[in-house]
Amino acid sequence: DIRPMLRDIKNIIVGGVTDNFEQEGRPRWKSRSELTNKTRGQMAVDNYFRNTKRGQQLLYNSSVNKKKRSIEAFERTKASIFNNSSSDKILHGSGDLKRSITGDSDNTKVLVGSNRIYAKMHQFGGIITPKKAMYLAIPVGGGRVIKVKKVTIPARPYLMITDKENRLIIDQVKKNMLEAAHENR
């Protein structure tokens, strides 16, 4: 029965994938484009103020009342949203991709991956083009939209293991084989 060994190997691989996210790739992934940097922070702030009663109230108070306290509250809240809207790390965004990494094992195999529809694009990279329109419309905050014919997503292989994980897997197999040999004496 090699299920316990394969379960340990699955945990080693999932740990390695988690390390990939934390270290932004091993080797390091290509950094974000300027367009991505531009859309991330401002959109989060705009969406908060547009979609919450508190945000709308702060926006109204700071723009209509022009009181120092109102403007300071607006700026503090805006800064807080900007800083907490998502991680600065590549492929972290909302954290959904990293959280979606799961593993499974049985007596014959180990499977590790994500069920997110965009997971393959981040792993292998690719080009996104419009399907029914001439342009992709990318919101950049403040109600503005940039139109582009295509977006190139670089490959950022997060489902990979390094020599470190390979050594841990080999050590795990050796340990299990020695235990099995010892039990069969």
Side-chain angles (χ1 to χ4, degrees):
D1 182 19
I2 62 170
R3 279 180 287 211
M5 177 183 70
L6 293 179
R7 184 180 55 245
D8 291 341
I9 291 171
K10 171 198 68 166
N11 292 336
I12 292 168
I13 294 172
V14 169
V17 171
T18 300
D19 286 349
N20 290 334
F21 278 95
E22 291 307 312
Q23 296 178 32
E24 298 183 84
R26 300 173 301 161
R28 196 157 177 85
W29 297 323
K30 184 176 180 182
S31 55
R32 285 191 196 96
S33 71
E34 285 305 311
L35 178 60
T36 301
N37 287 334
K38 187 175 182 179
T39 61
R40 287 171 46 85
Q42 188 60 45
M43 275 180 49
V45 172
D46 287 351
N47 287 337
Y48 174 82
F49 285 104
R50 218 179 286 123
N51 297 325
T52 68
K53 192 173 184 177
R54 175 72 177 142
Q56 290 170 358
Q57 180 184 14
L58 284 167
L59 186 58
Y60 174 79
N61 287 343
S62 68
S63 61
V64 174
N65 294 342
K66 304 275 187 209
K67 292 181 182 173
K68 187 176 179 183
R69 276 184 52 194
S70 296
I71 293 169
E72 287 172 354
F74 171 77
E75 290 302 326
R76 274 194 315 274
T77 304
K78 186 175 170 183
S80 172
I81 295 162
F82 183 78
N83 292 334
N84 296 323
S85 62
S86 59
S87 172
D88 285 336
K89 289 186 175 183
I90 297 170
L91 287 192
H92 276 59
S94 66
D96 285 348
L97 181 59
K98 182 180 173 186
R99 279 192 303 272
S100 74
I101 302 300
T102 59
D104 193 19
S105 62
D106 58 22
N107 204 31
T108 60
K109 65 187 172 297
V110 172
L111 300 170
V112 175
S114 169
N115 64 353
R116 295 288 180 239
I117 195 163
Y118 53 85
K120 184 178 176 183
M121 179 65 77
H122 287 302
Q123 176 73 17
F124 299 108
I127 298 173
I128 300 171
T129 56
K131 291 184 179 178
K132 296 181 181 178
M134 289 185 61
Y135 298 98
L136 294 168
I138 301 173
V140 291
R144 296 173 312 162
V145 172
I146 294 176
K147 293 182 179 180
V148 294
K149 289 207 177 247
K150 67 180 181 177
V151 173
T152 302
I153 307 293
R156 293 185 175 115
Y158 56 91
L159 289 174
M160 60 175 291
I161 56 174
T162 64
D163 290 342
K164 172 187 164 189
E165 287 87 25
N166 279 326
R167 282 190 299 277
L168 290 170
I169 290 168
I170 290 168
D171 290 346
Q172 188 63 44
V173 171
K174 285 179 183 176
K175 176 184 165 200
N176 281 72
M177 291 180 80
L178 287 171
E179 287 173 0
H182 186 265
E183 288 175 7
N184 289 332
R185 281 189 186 177

